[in-house]
């Protein structure tokens, strides 16, 4: 029984260290050494002026914290991510009997252009949308940053999954 447990643990360690599997559910290409994250542009009509920078910094931090890739500042990197905020909207989603909104939704759509300079066929251009709902009685400006953080976290998770999950 103890040998089975040791065998299982050793297999997990070997698979994880070889880059075959990662506990985050994604696996960066093993030949990739560097990544360049271009400053996210803002093309949305309405947006928080800090959103683009926060999104860019969060994406960089994800790579620094969860991969062994070095961050480059030019297009010679193995992997390149370019982003653009396309939509940043607030809309009512729940109306009471007096026709007043009781719940609102902040929805953000970004376009990501991913270039894999090692395996061109894995490159893509794709839109990612995420949202969070909030009570319309709350002051939006006082909660906007925390709502953005929630959405950014989910957007980055979706980007990582679509980019590095080869299921």
């Amino acid at each position: 029984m103890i040998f089975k447990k040791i065998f299982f643990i050793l297999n997990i360690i070997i698979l994880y260290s070889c880059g075959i599997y990662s506990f985050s559910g994604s696996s960066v290409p093993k030949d990739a050494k560097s990544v360049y994250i271009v400053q996210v542009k803002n093309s949305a009509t309405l947006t928080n002026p800090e959103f683009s920078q926060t999104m860019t910094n969060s994406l960089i931090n994800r790579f620094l914290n969860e991969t062994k890739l070095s961050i480059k500042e030019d297009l010679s990197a193995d992997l390149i991510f370019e982003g653009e905020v396309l939509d940043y909207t607030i809309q009512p989603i729940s109306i009471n009997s007096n026709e007043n909104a009781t719940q609102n939704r902040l929805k953000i759509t970004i376009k990501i252009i991913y270039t894999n300079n090692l395996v061109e066929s894995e490159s893509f251009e794709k839109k990612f949308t995420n949202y969070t709902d909030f009570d319309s009685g709350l002051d939006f400006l006082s909660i906007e940053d925390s709502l953005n953080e929630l959405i950014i976290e989910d957007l980055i998770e979706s980007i990582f999954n679509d980019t590095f999950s080869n299921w």
Side-chain angles (χ1 to χ4, degrees):
M1 185 68 164
I2 189 84
F3 292 113
K4 286 184 181 181
K5 287 181 182 179
I6 293 172
F7 180 74
F8 177 74
I9 291 170
L10 286 175
N11 278 331
I12 297 268
I13 292 169
I14 290 169
L15 289 174
Y16 181 70
S17 65
C18 292
I20 295 171
Y21 181 79
S22 74
F23 290 111
S24 65
S26 59
S27 180
V28 175
K30 66 180 179 179
D31 294 335
K33 305 283 187 256
S34 60
V35 63
Y36 175 40
I37 296 147
V38 180
Q39 174 69 38
V40 174
K41 294 186 298 185
N42 177 30
S43 297
T45 306
L46 168 72
T47 189
N48 179 321
E50 298 172 6
F51 183 83
S52 295
Q53 186 64 46
T54 305
M55 179 71 190
T56 303
N57 291 343
S58 296
L59 194 54
I60 290 169
N61 287 337
R62 176 78 180 254
F63 276 98
L64 288 173
N65 293 332
E66 295 189 20
T67 73
K68 295 178 183 179
L69 298 175
S70 65
I71 305 294
K72 278 197 166 183
E73 298 293 326
D74 60 52
L75 297 172
S76 68
D78 297 328
L79 311 175
I80 301 168
F81 289 85
E82 299 173 70
E84 180 180 7
V85 181
L86 300 177
D87 188 40
Y88 189 100
T89 58
I90 303 164
Q91 55 194 31
I93 58 164
S94 178
I95 309 293
N96 66 16
S97 60
N98 295 330
E99 296 187 18
N100 295 323
T102 57
Q103 286 282 105
N104 288 331
R105 174 172 289 166
L106 173 61
K107 182 174 84 168
I108 301 172
T109 300
I110 63 169
K111 176 175 72 173
I112 294 293
I113 299 171
Y114 167 64
T115 305
N116 183 329
N117 287 322
L118 301 173
V119 182
E120 184 63 34
S121 64
E122 293 183 3
S123 299
F124 64 79
E125 181 176 321
K126 185 173 182 181
K127 292 179 185 177
F128 295 87
T129 300
N130 212 305
Y131 64 88
T132 189
D133 300 335
F134 61 97
D135 188 312
S136 62
L138 298 173
D139 176 27
F140 177 73
L141 294 177
S142 67
I143 61 170
E144 184 177 15
D145 288 342
S146 60
L147 296 175
N148 283 341
E149 286 178 24
L150 291 171
I151 293 173
I152 286 171
E153 184 178 317
D154 289 341
L155 286 170
I156 289 174
E157 188 66 31
S158 295
I159 292 165
F160 256 64
N161 286 341
D162 279 19
T163 306
F164 302 125
S165 293
N166 298 322
W167 296 80

